[in-house]
Amino acid sequence: MENKSPEIVIASYVGKLLRDNFGKGPESVYVSIAGEFIVIHIRKFISPMEEALLKQENENVVQNTREIVFQSLVPEIKAFIKGLTGIDINEFYYDWGMSNKSGVFVGIGSPIDGKIGSIEEDFPEKHTMDRKIVDISEEAQKAPEGLKSYLMNDRIIIFIRDGILVTIEKELIRQGYGKILKTTKRILEKKFLHNFDFESVIDRKITDIFVDWDFDLDKSVIVFMLKPS
């Protein structure tokens, strides 16, 4: 293990964890660590039972089942990353792309003196992309009170939105409808995100778009996975 990078060790661990809990592991797991972020991209991950459910157009059943199982795995993943890298994961986000049989996990913690990797807070298309993310947020609910974006590496752009919940959404969460709200928001926002031609802005192929929320923090993460140039 000493000769392997943290990214490779985490990828192997996550692949085995998913295989043990779902009966079938992903085809590949790609891990990136830079700044305060750990991004784990899962490709070609679906069990035979999930595939049968999707054929019957039961995507919500698959999403809900994964949500239940994965909530129990998050503490294990965080503990493993802490033991391996020393990074405390304070926030954890995840989303699945059923059409591509893919998924992403995003951990946000405290960077360790830049020893593992650095992250670009400025990139050529930043202003244009930020403006469009604000427009999409406003169309779906309201403009975020804060927005940060990062080019993590050749494959990943991350957007962090703060203060995006409207009053009625906060009340729905208080009354226990957070799960339904998140499902609805995810469908709506992904539709807007996919409908806009971000590829023409960055002149790159986008292979996946993921989005998730932490309602307690009133915070959201959007991840663009790019085809390596």
Side-chain angles (χ1 to χ4, degrees):
M1 185 176 287
E2 302 96 25
N3 299 325
K4 294 180 180 178
S5 70
E7 290 89 347
I8 290 173
V9 176
I10 293 168
S12 176
Y13 169 79
V14 169
K16 183 179 184 304
L17 191 67
L18 293 176
R19 186 167 58 252
D20 290 346
N21 283 272
F22 289 90
K24 184 178 179 181
E27 183 181 286
S28 66
V29 182
Y30 175 79
V31 178
S32 300
I33 305 176
E36 61 192 293
F37 300 103
I38 295 181
V39 175
I40 304 170
H41 187 213
I42 311 296
R43 293 183 65 251
K44 303 299 181 188
F45 172 58
I46 192 163
S47 70
M49 183 177 289
E50 288 176 330
E51 198 144 27
L53 286 167
L54 288 177
K55 284 177 182 175
Q56 296 169 20
E57 299 183 354
N58 285 320
E59 182 174 326
N60 278 349
V61 176
V62 176
Q63 290 272 18
N64 290 338
T65 304
R66 283 194 179 184
E67 184 86 13
I68 293 165
V69 175
F70 201 70
Q71 279 178 353
S72 68
L73 303 182
V74 170
E76 293 182 48
I77 296 172
K78 289 167 70 172
F80 183 84
I81 291 171
K82 167 74 172 174
L84 180 69
T85 67
I87 298 173
D88 261 318
I89 302 296
N90 304 316
E91 302 169 37
F92 203 91
Y93 302 84
Y94 51 93
D95 185 24
W96 307 101
M98 292 302 170
S99 58
N100 287 344
K101 302 176 184 176
S102 58
V104 76
F105 314 149
V106 179
I108 303 178
S110 303
I112 304 180
D113 303 325
K115 290 178 182 176
I116 296 179
S118 59
I119 194 163
E120 293 291 330
E121 294 191 41
D122 194 20
F123 50 98
E125 307 85 3
K126 179 184 177 78
H127 178 74
T128 304
M129 295 191 78
D130 283 359
R131 184 63 257 169
K132 191 58 195 178
I133 292 295
V134 169
D135 290 345
I136 287 171
S137 300
E138 197 165 21
E139 195 172 357
Q141 60 264 309
K142 75 179 183 74
E145 293 168 16
L147 173 67
K148 294 181 180 178
S149 56
Y150 306 90
L151 179 66
M152 188 167 180
N153 55 37
D154 193 42
R155 296 187 182 198
I156 302 169
I157 299 176
I158 298 177
F159 301 90
I160 309 291
R161 297 177 296 172
D162 287 293
I164 54 169
L165 293 172
V166 298
T167 305
I168 192 168
E169 290 176 327
K170 292 177 181 178
E171 188 57 36
L172 285 168
I173 293 162
R174 273 194 292 269
Q175 294 197 23
Y177 295 102
K179 193 173 182 181
I180 295 170
L181 179 62
K182 185 178 281 193
T183 300
T184 306
K185 285 170 72 68
R186 184 170 274 136
I187 291 167
L188 184 63
E189 286 210 354
K190 279 191 171 182
K191 178 182 173 184
F192 291 148
L193 287 164
H194 282 288
N195 281 348
F196 183 74
D197 187 11
F198 282 102
E199 292 184 345
S200 68
V201 175
I202 58 174
D203 195 26
R204 294 280 300 281
K205 173 72 175 173
I206 298 171
T207 58
D208 269 313
I209 299 176
F210 301 100
V211 60
D212 193 21
W213 293 262
D214 185 322
F215 287 154
D216 291 335
L217 296 176
D218 194 359
K219 194 169 180 178
S220 173
V221 169
I222 298 171
V223 179
F224 282 23
M225 300 301 305
L226 313 177
K227 186 176 182 180
S229 57

